[in-house]
Amino acid sequence: LLKADARWHDKHYSTASDAITKALIDHSVIRYAGYRVMLPGVQGFKLESEIVLNPSYFVFPAWQAFARRSHLPVWRDLIKDGKRLLGKMGSGKANLPTDWVSLASGGKLAPAKGWPPRMSYDAIRVPLYVAWSDKQSPLLTPWKNWFQSYQRLQTPAWINVSTNNVSPWFMTGGLLAVRDLTMGETPEDPQITAQDDYYSASLKLLVWLAGRDR
């Protein structure tokens, strides 16, 4: 919505953005275990002695845009603490975060119970948003190390960080686009094909936007 206002100079878009970001701060942003975090939803993620986070929801380029617009310190706090958390979320031989992560009240991080302990279709967005906000970020190092341990077209679609088993099928479409961006390649105009489902097409478009913004 902020980009829409910048593109078409219609304040209705930025006014709508402001309403959404205010609701996020009021209902989904909390302090927990020494961190400022954004919960994945209003209900269901704050448990008795832990909270559940989805690191692919740490949308750093959006948070940076909200910080520039509002000048509210909460967005800078989310960016700083989100990066601190990502730096500690790596698990298994690949040292990568899982799709869903538990943050205990004492600060311990672990793959969240109730979901497979995988870096998979959610967590693949982590390097996308990190690279979009800072292509030199050291948080990209474990991703680069893991990606380059495989030939491009034989990169597994997921890895189980508990067993180190990988998927029997390989990254295609939007997943490969994220891999390429992470490895420093400049994305070309997105080629959306009939083989791309909604998620794959969305990732390709997001990678293209990230490449334009960097």
Side-chain angles (χ1 to χ4, degrees):
L1 289 167
L2 290 183
K3 285 180 175 292
D5 185 1
R7 175 65 177 83
W8 291 295
H9 308 292
D10 184 338
K11 296 301 179 186
H12 289 94
Y13 291 120
S14 53
T15 299
S17 172
D18 292 343
I20 293 170
T21 54
K22 183 180 185 303
L24 286 170
I25 293 170
D26 291 346
H27 300 291
S28 297
V29 175
I30 64 171
R31 289 190 182 275
Y32 193 85
Y35 299 95
R36 178 97 75 165
V37 295
M38 183 179 289
L39 297 174
V42 176
Q43 298 178 345
F45 299 98
K46 190 173 182 181
L47 310 179
E48 191 169 318
S49 59
E50 64 177 319
I51 60 173
V52 175
L53 300 173
N54 187 317
S56 74
Y57 294 0
F58 296 2
V59 188
F60 296 114
W63 292 354
Q64 288 170 334
F66 302 152
R68 288 192 298 268
R69 177 167 174 81
S70 70
H71 305 291
L72 293 175
V74 60
W75 298 111
R76 298 294 180 196
D77 290 346
L78 283 168
I79 292 167
K80 174 174 63 71
D81 288 346
K83 291 181 178 180
R84 285 173 60 206
L85 285 165
L86 278 181
K88 301 176 182 179
M89 280 184 181
S91 296
K93 183 173 66 175
N95 192 31
L96 296 177
T98 50
D99 293 342
W100 297 90
V101 178
S102 164
L103 172 61
S105 57
K108 181 181 178 182
L109 291 159
K113 299 174 183 175
W115 288 273
R118 293 176 180 169
M119 184 293 294
S120 184
Y121 293 99
D122 275 280
I124 190 62
R125 288 175 292 185
V126 171
L128 164 62
Y129 295 136
V130 171
W132 193 336
S133 65
D134 178 8
K135 64 181 180 181
Q136 303 296 334
S137 173
L139 293 172
L140 294 173
T141 299
W143 296 92
K144 291 178 180 179
N145 290 341
W146 191 70
F147 287 149
Q148 67 189 9
S149 66
Y150 297 92
Q151 295 182 16
R152 180 178 180 274
L153 296 180
Q154 295 181 335
T155 308
W158 53 256
I159 181 170
N160 183 312
V161 301
S162 295
T163 64
N164 296 314
N165 291 335
V166 298
S167 66
W169 56 88
F170 305 126
M171 288 185 172
T172 58
L175 301 181
L176 275 180
V178 174
R179 181 195 190 279
D180 293 343
L181 179 75
T182 305
M183 298 305 291
E185 297 185 21
T186 302
E188 299 176 355
D189 289 353
Q191 303 298 315
I192 309 300
T193 71
Q195 285 68 47
D196 287 309
D197 58 19
Y198 163 80
Y199 190 52
S200 178
S202 297
L203 288 177
K204 286 184 175 182
L205 290 169
L206 288 168
V207 165
W208 176 67
L209 286 171
R212 292 185 62 188
D213 280 356
R214 292 202 299 178

